[in-house]
Amino acid sequence: MDMKKIKMKNDKMKKNNNKMKQLLTFLVTFILLFTSCIQVSPVLAQDNSSQKEEVVYGILNLDGSINNLYVVNILNGGEIVDYGNYSDIRNMTTAEELNKEGDKITINTRAERFYYQGTLESKELPWHIAIKYYLDGKEIPGEELGGKSGTLKIGMSVKQNEKVNPIFFDNYAMQITFSLDTKLCKNIRADGATIAEAGSKKQLTYTVLPGNSIDIAVTADIHDFEMDPITINGIRLSLDIDVDSNELTEKISELIDAIKELDDGASELQKGLNQLSTGMEKYLDGIKAYKDGLGQLISGAGRLNEGAALLNSGLSQLTMQNDLIINGALEIQQATFDSVNAQLGSMKLGLPVLTPENYSEVLSSISHLAPQLADVKKQLDGVVQFVQGLKSYMDGVLQLSNASSDLAIGISEFKASSFIIAESANELYNGGAEINSAIKKLRDGLSSYKGGMNELRKGTSGMSSEIDNKINEILAGISGGNGEVISFVSDKNTYVSSVQFVLKTASIEPPEIQEPDAPKPVRLNIWQKLLKLFGLYK
C-alpha cells in the first residue's frame, strides 16, 4: 500500500480515537454532575431560565418622562422559569395562574406559545428622553398645547442613561417617528428626518445608530393643534451585509503603484530641475557679462561717434582748400618750368619750351650732348610728381571726406542701436532672473511634494488591510457590534434571543368642549297653567 495512504489512514484513526476519548470524558462529567445535582438540590435543574423574547413597552408622558413600563415575555410552552422584578404580572395567553416567588416566575402550560406581561418596578430606560414644546417662542407644557394656534417648535433630546447597562445604548438603534396632521400643520420643517406622506398625515422619521445621541427640532405653523403619540422603537440591528473588498483593494493596489510611480517620477523631475537650475545660473552669468559688455560698448560707441564727427568736420574743412592747394602747386610747377626754360634759353641749345607734358622726352633725347641737363630733369620730375601726388592726395581727401560722412551717420545709428541692444539685454537678464527664481521655487516646492509623496507612499503601503478593518469597524458601528443579547429585565435570564423596545408618548388632544347646562324647568302657578292650557301663555 502507498505510504501516503497508510499515513492518512493512521491520522484518521487517531482522530476517531480522540473523538471517542472526548465523548467518554463528556459522559463521565455529565453523570457526575447529574448525580451531584440529585444529591444536593433536586430542583436545581428547574432554576435554569427558559429561552424567551422580551418586548419592552413604555408609556411616556408628553415631556418624555416614563409613566409606565412593562414587558411582554414570549416563551415556548411547557415548564417555564423566568425572572423579573415586577410589581404585577398577567397571563396573556391562558387562564392558568402564574406563580411568583420573589423575582422568580414559573408556570407549566399546555400552550404552544406563551405570553405574559410584567409591570416593571424600575422605571429606567437605556435612553434619557426629554421633550419640550414652544409656542410663538415661549415654552408651554404639552398638556396645554391641544387646540392652540401659532408657531410651534418641538425640541426632543435623546441621550444615554448612565443608570442602565450601556450594552443597550451601544448596541441598539432607535427609530423616532412624529405624525403631524397636514390639515392642522403647515410649513413643517424637520432637518435630518425622513419625511413620508401617510394619507392626511406627514410622518417624520429619525434613525439613531447605536451609541449615538440626537437632538431633534421640529417646527410648524399650527391651528387647533392636536398630535398622535410620538413613537420610539429600539431594536438591535442585524445587517446581513457581505462586503466584497477585493475590487476595492485591487483599486487601492493600483493607487499604491501609481503613488510609487509618482514618487519615482518626482525624484527624476527633481534631478532635472537641479540640472536646469545650475544651467540657468551659468546662463545668467553669461547674460550679465554680455550686459556689462554692452555697457562698455555704449560708452565706446559714444566716443567713436564723437571721433567720427570730428574727422568728418576736419576732412570737410580740408576738402574746402583743395582748389587753392592744387592751384598753388601748379603755380610752383609753372614757376619751376619758367625758370628752367629761361636757363636753357640762355644756353642757346635751340630746345623747344619745356612743359609738364614734353620735358621728359625732350631732355632725354639730348642728355648725351649735355649731361648737366640730368639734374634739370630730376628737378622737373620732382615738381611734376609733387603736383600729381598732391592732386591724387586731394582726390583721396575728397573721397575720405565723403566716406567719413557716411561713417559718421553709420556710427550715430550704431550708437542709437546700442542703447536698444543694451535695453533688450537688460530685459533678457531680468527675465532670466525671474525664470531662475521660479525654477528655485519650483524646485523647493517639488522637494516638499516629494517629501509628501514619500510619506504618502509609506502611509498607503498597508492600506488594503486597513480598508478591510475600517469596513468592519463601520459595519460594527452601524449594527452595534456582535455582543450577545442579554435580558433587559434580569441578569438571571440567560437564554434571551431578542429584546425590543416599543415606546410612545401620550397624544395631544384638543380641549373638551363643555356642554351648556340644560335650562331648569320653570314652575308655573295655577293661573299660568290655566292660561297655557288655553294657549294664552308661552
PDB file of all heavy atoms in Angstrom, residues 63-89:
ATOM      1  N   ASP A  63     -43.603  65.060  28.239  1.00  0.00           N
ATOM      2  CA  ASP A  63     -42.253  65.629  28.362  1.00  0.00           C
ATOM      3  C   ASP A  63     -41.162  64.576  28.216  1.00  0.00           C
ATOM      4  O   ASP A  63     -39.989  64.857  28.383  1.00  0.00           O
ATOM      5  CB  ASP A  63     -42.106  66.357  29.697  1.00  0.00           C
ATOM      6  CG  ASP A  63     -42.259  65.428  30.892  1.00  0.00           C
ATOM      7  OD1 ASP A  63     -42.563  64.236  30.685  1.00  0.00           O
ATOM      8  OD2 ASP A  63     -42.105  65.896  32.038  1.00  0.00           O
ATOM      9  N   GLY A  64     -41.541  63.303  27.906  1.00  0.00           N
ATOM     10  CA  GLY A  64     -40.577  62.236  27.707  1.00  0.00           C
ATOM     11  C   GLY A  64     -40.295  61.410  28.940  1.00  0.00           C
ATOM     12  O   GLY A  64     -39.643  60.360  28.842  1.00  0.00           O
ATOM     13  N   SER A  65     -40.764  61.848  30.102  1.00  0.00           N
ATOM     14  CA  SER A  65     -40.569  61.050  31.315  1.00  0.00           C
ATOM     15  C   SER A  65     -41.430  59.796  31.249  1.00  0.00           C
ATOM     16  O   SER A  65     -42.415  59.727  30.519  1.00  0.00           O
ATOM     17  CB  SER A  65     -40.910  61.881  32.551  1.00  0.00           C
ATOM     18  OG  SER A  65     -42.268  62.301  32.501  1.00  0.00           O
ATOM     19  N   ILE A  66     -41.043  58.784  32.036  1.00  0.00           N
ATOM     20  CA  ILE A  66     -41.708  57.479  31.967  1.00  0.00           C
ATOM     21  C   ILE A  66     -42.938  57.476  32.863  1.00  0.00           C
ATOM     22  O   ILE A  66     -42.853  57.756  34.075  1.00  0.00           O
ATOM     23  CB  ILE A  66     -40.737  56.362  32.384  1.00  0.00           C
ATOM     24  CG1 ILE A  66     -39.532  56.340  31.441  1.00  0.00           C
ATOM     25  CG2 ILE A  66     -41.441  55.003  32.366  1.00  0.00           C
ATOM     26  CD1 ILE A  66     -38.437  55.399  31.876  1.00  0.00           C
ATOM     27  N   ASN A  67     -44.076  57.151  32.294  1.00  0.00           N
ATOM     28  CA  ASN A  67     -45.317  56.995  33.051  1.00  0.00           C
ATOM     29  C   ASN A  67     -45.470  55.550  33.521  1.00  0.00           C
ATOM     30  O   ASN A  67     -45.757  55.284  34.679  1.00  0.00           O
ATOM     31  CB  ASN A  67     -46.497  57.423  32.186  1.00  0.00           C
ATOM     32  CG  ASN A  67     -47.813  57.347  32.923  1.00  0.00           C
ATOM     33  OD1 ASN A  67     -47.845  57.266  34.137  1.00  0.00           O
ATOM     34  ND2 ASN A  67     -48.905  57.365  32.183  1.00  0.00           N
ATOM     35  N   ASN A  68     -45.262  54.616  32.622  1.00  0.00           N
ATOM     36  CA  ASN A  68     -45.400  53.209  32.969  1.00  0.00           C
ATOM     37  C   ASN A  68     -44.477  52.402  32.067  1.00  0.00           C
ATOM     38  O   ASN A  68     -44.247  52.756  30.900  1.00  0.00           O
ATOM     39  CB  ASN A  68     -46.845  52.747  32.802  1.00  0.00           C
ATOM     40  CG  ASN A  68     -47.116  51.457  33.544  1.00  0.00           C
ATOM     41  OD1 ASN A  68     -46.282  50.995  34.317  1.00  0.00           O
ATOM     42  ND2 ASN A  68     -48.278  50.861  33.313  1.00  0.00           N
ATOM     43  N   LEU A  69     -43.949  51.296  32.602  1.00  0.00           N
ATOM     44  CA  LEU A  69     -43.005  50.476  31.869  1.00  0.00           C
ATOM     45  C   LEU A  69     -43.318  49.014  32.169  1.00  0.00           C
ATOM     46  O   LEU A  69     -43.331  48.596  33.334  1.00  0.00           O
ATOM     47  CB  LEU A  69     -41.568  50.806  32.304  1.00  0.00           C
ATOM     48  CG  LEU A  69     -40.424  50.455  31.355  1.00  0.00           C
ATOM     49  CD1 LEU A  69     -40.577  51.182  30.033  1.00  0.00           C
ATOM     50  CD2 LEU A  69     -39.072  50.810  31.989  1.00  0.00           C
ATOM     51  N   TYR A  70     -43.612  48.258  31.119  1.00  0.00           N
ATOM     52  CA  TYR A  70     -43.894  46.839  31.322  1.00  0.00           C
ATOM     53  C   TYR A  70     -43.293  46.041  30.174  1.00  0.00           C
ATOM     54  O   TYR A  70     -42.933  46.586  29.128  1.00  0.00           O
ATOM     55  CB  TYR A  70     -45.396  46.581  31.462  1.00  0.00           C
ATOM     56  CG  TYR A  70     -46.229  47.028  30.290  1.00  0.00           C
ATOM     57  CD1 TYR A  70     -46.542  46.153  29.260  1.00  0.00           C
ATOM     58  CD2 TYR A  70     -46.733  48.330  30.223  1.00  0.00           C
ATOM     59  CE1 TYR A  70     -47.314  46.546  28.195  1.00  0.00           C
ATOM     60  CE2 TYR A  70     -47.507  48.743  29.160  1.00  0.00           C
ATOM     61  CZ  TYR A  70     -47.799  47.855  28.143  1.00  0.00           C
ATOM     62  OH  TYR A  70     -48.555  48.247  27.074  1.00  0.00           O
ATOM     63  N   VAL A  71     -43.198  44.718  30.413  1.00  0.00           N
ATOM     64  CA  VAL A  71     -42.527  43.837  29.460  1.00  0.00           C
ATOM     65  C   VAL A  71     -43.473  42.712  29.091  1.00  0.00           C
ATOM     66  O   VAL A  71     -44.115  42.120  29.969  1.00  0.00           O
ATOM     67  CB  VAL A  71     -41.230  43.253  30.063  1.00  0.00           C
ATOM     68  CG1 VAL A  71     -40.555  42.307  29.069  1.00  0.00           C
ATOM     69  CG2 VAL A  71     -40.279  44.356  30.476  1.00  0.00           C
ATOM     70  N   VAL A  72     -43.570  42.412  27.821  1.00  0.00           N
ATOM     71  CA  VAL A  72     -44.260  41.217  27.349  1.00  0.00           C
ATOM     72  C   VAL A  72     -43.203  40.172  27.068  1.00  0.00           C
ATOM     73  O   VAL A  72     -42.326  40.364  26.210  1.00  0.00           O
ATOM     74  CB  VAL A  72     -45.107  41.512  26.103  1.00  0.00           C
ATOM     75  CG1 VAL A  72     -45.678  40.216  25.542  1.00  0.00           C
ATOM     76  CG2 VAL A  72     -46.225  42.493  26.433  1.00  0.00           C
ATOM     77  N   ASN A  73     -43.263  39.072  27.811  1.00  0.00           N
ATOM     78  CA  ASN A  73     -42.306  37.976  27.663  1.00  0.00           C
ATOM     79  C   ASN A  73     -42.917  36.897  26.779  1.00  0.00           C
ATOM     80  O   ASN A  73     -44.062  36.474  27.006  1.00  0.00           O
ATOM     81  CB  ASN A  73     -41.955  37.402  29.025  1.00  0.00           C
ATOM     82  CG  ASN A  73     -41.290  38.426  29.927  1.00  0.00           C
ATOM     83  OD1 ASN A  73     -40.130  38.719  29.791  1.00  0.00           O
ATOM     84  ND2 ASN A  73     -42.062  38.973  30.877  1.00  0.00           N
ATOM     85  N   ILE A  74     -42.195  36.419  25.796  1.00  0.00           N
ATOM     86  CA  ILE A  74     -42.681  35.442  24.825  1.00  0.00           C
ATOM     87  C   ILE A  74     -41.831  34.189  24.955  1.00  0.00           C
ATOM     88  O   ILE A  74     -40.610  34.228  24.751  1.00  0.00           O
ATOM     89  CB  ILE A  74     -42.605  36.008  23.394  1.00  0.00           C
ATOM     90  CG1 ILE A  74     -43.294  37.376  23.314  1.00  0.00           C
ATOM     91  CG2 ILE A  74     -43.203  35.034  22.400  1.00  0.00           C
ATOM     92  CD1 ILE A  74     -43.040  38.131  22.040  1.00  0.00           C
ATOM     93  N   LEU A  75     -42.490  33.065  25.323  1.00  0.00           N
ATOM     94  CA  LEU A  75     -41.754  31.823  25.579  1.00  0.00           C
ATOM     95  C   LEU A  75     -42.458  30.651  24.913  1.00  0.00           C
ATOM     96  O   LEU A  75     -43.640  30.736  24.555  1.00  0.00           O
ATOM     97  CB  LEU A  75     -41.641  31.557  27.080  1.00  0.00           C
ATOM     98  CG  LEU A  75     -41.087  32.685  27.956  1.00  0.00           C
ATOM     99  CD1 LEU A  75     -42.227  33.448  28.609  1.00  0.00           C
ATOM    100  CD2 LEU A  75     -40.139  32.122  29.006  1.00  0.00           C
ATOM    101  N   ASN A  76     -41.746  29.564  24.761  1.00  0.00           N
ATOM    102  CA  ASN A  76     -42.354  28.316  24.307  1.00  0.00           C
ATOM    103  C   ASN A  76     -43.078  27.659  25.483  1.00  0.00           C
ATOM    104  O   ASN A  76     -42.716  27.837  26.660  1.00  0.00           O
ATOM    105  CB  ASN A  76     -41.302  27.367  23.744  1.00  0.00           C
ATOM    106  CG  ASN A  76     -40.681  27.905  22.461  1.00  0.00           C
ATOM    107  OD1 ASN A  76     -41.363  28.551  21.668  1.00  0.00           O
ATOM    108  ND2 ASN A  76     -39.396  27.637  22.270  1.00  0.00           N
ATOM    109  N   GLY A  77     -44.142  26.886  25.158  1.00  0.00           N
ATOM    110  CA  GLY A  77     -44.924  26.253  26.217  1.00  0.00           C
ATOM    111  C   GLY A  77     -44.150  25.164  26.953  1.00  0.00           C
ATOM    112  O   GLY A  77     -43.026  24.811  26.607  1.00  0.00           O
ATOM    113  N   GLY A  78     -44.815  24.602  28.008  1.00  0.00           N
ATOM    114  CA  GLY A  78     -44.186  23.588  28.840  1.00  0.00           C
ATOM    115  C   GLY A  78     -43.838  24.172  30.181  1.00  0.00           C
ATOM    116  O   GLY A  78     -44.483  25.104  30.681  1.00  0.00           O
ATOM    117  N   GLU A  79     -42.796  23.630  30.797  1.00  0.00           N
ATOM    118  CA  GLU A  79     -42.351  24.164  32.077  1.00  0.00           C
ATOM    119  C   GLU A  79     -41.533  25.427  31.835  1.00  0.00           C
ATOM    120  O   GLU A  79     -40.513  25.398  31.155  1.00  0.00           O
ATOM    121  CB  GLU A  79     -41.515  23.121  32.826  1.00  0.00           C
ATOM    122  CG  GLU A  79     -42.331  21.993  33.407  1.00  0.00           C
ATOM    123  CD  GLU A  79     -41.540  21.189  34.407  1.00  0.00           C
ATOM    124  OE1 GLU A  79     -40.593  21.762  35.006  1.00  0.00           O
ATOM    125  OE2 GLU A  79     -41.849  20.010  34.583  1.00  0.00           O
ATOM    126  N   ILE A  80     -42.007  26.531  32.397  1.00  0.00           N
ATOM    127  CA  ILE A  80     -41.383  27.836  32.154  1.00  0.00           C
ATOM    128  C   ILE A  80     -40.821  28.374  33.457  1.00  0.00           C
ATOM    129  O   ILE A  80     -41.499  28.352  34.505  1.00  0.00           O
ATOM    130  CB  ILE A  80     -42.410  28.822  31.569  1.00  0.00           C
ATOM    131  CG1 ILE A  80     -42.826  28.378  30.162  1.00  0.00           C
ATOM    132  CG2 ILE A  80     -41.850  30.239  31.552  1.00  0.00           C
ATOM    133  CD1 ILE A  80     -43.924  29.214  29.563  1.00  0.00           C
ATOM    134  N   VAL A  81     -39.578  28.838  33.389  1.00  0.00           N
ATOM    135  CA  VAL A  81     -38.938  29.540  34.508  1.00  0.00           C
ATOM    136  C   VAL A  81     -38.407  30.864  33.968  1.00  0.00           C
ATOM    137  O   VAL A  81     -37.634  30.895  33.004  1.00  0.00           O
ATOM    138  CB  VAL A  81     -37.779  28.717  35.108  1.00  0.00           C
ATOM    139  CG1 VAL A  81     -37.107  29.502  36.243  1.00  0.00           C
ATOM    140  CG2 VAL A  81     -38.279  27.386  35.623  1.00  0.00           C
ATOM    141  N   ASP A  82     -38.837  31.948  34.607  1.00  0.00           N
ATOM    142  CA  ASP A  82     -38.411  33.269  34.156  1.00  0.00           C
ATOM    143  C   ASP A  82     -38.166  34.136  35.383  1.00  0.00           C
ATOM    144  O   ASP A  82     -38.629  33.828  36.493  1.00  0.00           O
ATOM    145  CB  ASP A  82     -39.482  33.893  33.253  1.00  0.00           C
ATOM    146  CG  ASP A  82     -38.939  35.056  32.454  1.00  0.00           C
ATOM    147  OD1 ASP A  82     -37.739  35.033  32.116  1.00  0.00           O
ATOM    148  OD2 ASP A  82     -39.707  35.992  32.160  1.00  0.00           O
ATOM    149  N   TYR A  83     -37.411  35.228  35.171  1.00  0.00           N
ATOM    150  CA  TYR A  83     -37.066  36.100  36.288  1.00  0.00           C
ATOM    151  C   TYR A  83     -37.358  37.548  35.901  1.00  0.00           C
ATOM    152  O   TYR A  83     -37.204  37.958  34.758  1.00  0.00           O
ATOM    153  CB  TYR A  83     -35.582  35.964  36.642  1.00  0.00           C
ATOM    154  CG  TYR A  83     -35.221  34.601  37.180  1.00  0.00           C
ATOM    155  CD1 TYR A  83     -34.815  33.583  36.309  1.00  0.00           C
ATOM    156  CD2 TYR A  83     -35.290  34.328  38.528  1.00  0.00           C
ATOM    157  CE1 TYR A  83     -34.477  32.335  36.779  1.00  0.00           C
ATOM    158  CE2 TYR A  83     -34.946  33.068  39.013  1.00  0.00           C
ATOM    159  CZ  TYR A  83     -34.553  32.077  38.143  1.00  0.00           C
ATOM    160  OH  TYR A  83     -34.225  30.844  38.618  1.00  0.00           O
ATOM    161  N   GLY A  84     -37.767  38.319  36.924  1.00  0.00           N
ATOM    162  CA  GLY A  84     -38.005  39.736  36.710  1.00  0.00           C
ATOM    163  C   GLY A  84     -38.551  40.384  37.953  1.00  0.00           C
ATOM    164  O   GLY A  84     -39.342  39.782  38.690  1.00  0.00           O
ATOM    165  N   ASN A  85     -38.149  41.627  38.179  1.00  0.00           N
ATOM    166  CA  ASN A  85     -38.652  42.398  39.316  1.00  0.00           C
ATOM    167  C   ASN A  85     -39.898  43.156  38.861  1.00  0.00           C
ATOM    168  O   ASN A  85     -39.830  44.288  38.383  1.00  0.00           O
ATOM    169  CB  ASN A  85     -37.584  43.364  39.826  1.00  0.00           C
ATOM    170  CG  ASN A  85     -36.399  42.634  40.432  1.00  0.00           C
ATOM    171  OD1 ASN A  85     -36.576  41.688  41.204  1.00  0.00           O
ATOM    172  ND2 ASN A  85     -35.196  43.058  40.082  1.00  0.00           N
ATOM    173  N   TYR A  86     -41.045  42.497  39.003  1.00  0.00           N
ATOM    174  CA  TYR A  86     -42.316  43.042  38.536  1.00  0.00           C
ATOM    175  C   TYR A  86     -43.193  43.400  39.727  1.00  0.00           C
ATOM    176  O   TYR A  86     -43.252  42.661  40.726  1.00  0.00           O
ATOM    177  CB  TYR A  86     -43.056  42.020  37.663  1.00  0.00           C
ATOM    178  CG  TYR A  86     -42.301  41.599  36.417  1.00  0.00           C
ATOM    179  CD1 TYR A  86     -41.922  40.269  36.221  1.00  0.00           C
ATOM    180  CD2 TYR A  86     -41.991  42.527  35.431  1.00  0.00           C
ATOM    181  CE1 TYR A  86     -41.248  39.876  35.081  1.00  0.00           C
ATOM    182  CE2 TYR A  86     -41.313  42.132  34.283  1.00  0.00           C
ATOM    183  CZ  TYR A  86     -40.939  40.810  34.115  1.00  0.00           C
ATOM    184  OH  TYR A  86     -40.274  40.424  32.991  1.00  0.00           O
ATOM    185  N   SER A  87     -43.889  44.514  39.597  1.00  0.00           N
ATOM    186  CA  SER A  87     -44.896  44.862  40.603  1.00  0.00           C
ATOM    187  C   SER A  87     -46.206  44.147  40.330  1.00  0.00           C
ATOM    188  O   SER A  87     -47.041  43.989  41.229  1.00  0.00           O
ATOM    189  CB  SER A  87     -45.114  46.378  40.624  1.00  0.00           C
ATOM    190  OG  SER A  87     -45.574  46.826  39.349  1.00  0.00           O
ATOM    191  N   ASP A  88     -46.377  43.700  39.080  1.00  0.00           N
ATOM    192  CA  ASP A  88     -47.613  42.996  38.723  1.00  0.00           C
ATOM    193  C   ASP A  88     -47.324  42.143  37.494  1.00  0.00           C
ATOM    194  O   ASP A  88     -46.551  42.547  36.615  1.00  0.00           O
ATOM    195  CB  ASP A  88     -48.731  44.004  38.428  1.00  0.00           C
ATOM    196  CG  ASP A  88     -50.030  43.322  38.061  1.00  0.00           C
ATOM    197  OD1 ASP A  88     -50.569  42.593  38.901  1.00  0.00           O
ATOM    198  OD2 ASP A  88     -50.481  43.510  36.899  1.00  0.00           O
ATOM    199  N   ILE A  89     -47.943  40.938  37.447  1.00  0.00           N
ATOM    200  CA  ILE A  89     -47.802  40.074  36.280  1.00  0.00           C
ATOM    201  C   ILE A  89     -49.177  39.631  35.813  1.00  0.00           C
ATOM    202  O   ILE A  89     -50.118  39.529  36.626  1.00  0.00           O
ATOM    203  CB  ILE A  89     -46.909  38.850  36.587  1.00  0.00           C
ATOM    204  CG1 ILE A  89     -47.451  38.055  37.784  1.00  0.00           C
ATOM    205  CG2 ILE A  89     -45.473  39.257  36.797  1.00  0.00           C
ATOM    206  CD1 ILE A  89     -46.692  36.775  38.046  1.00  0.00           C
TER     207      ILE A  89
END
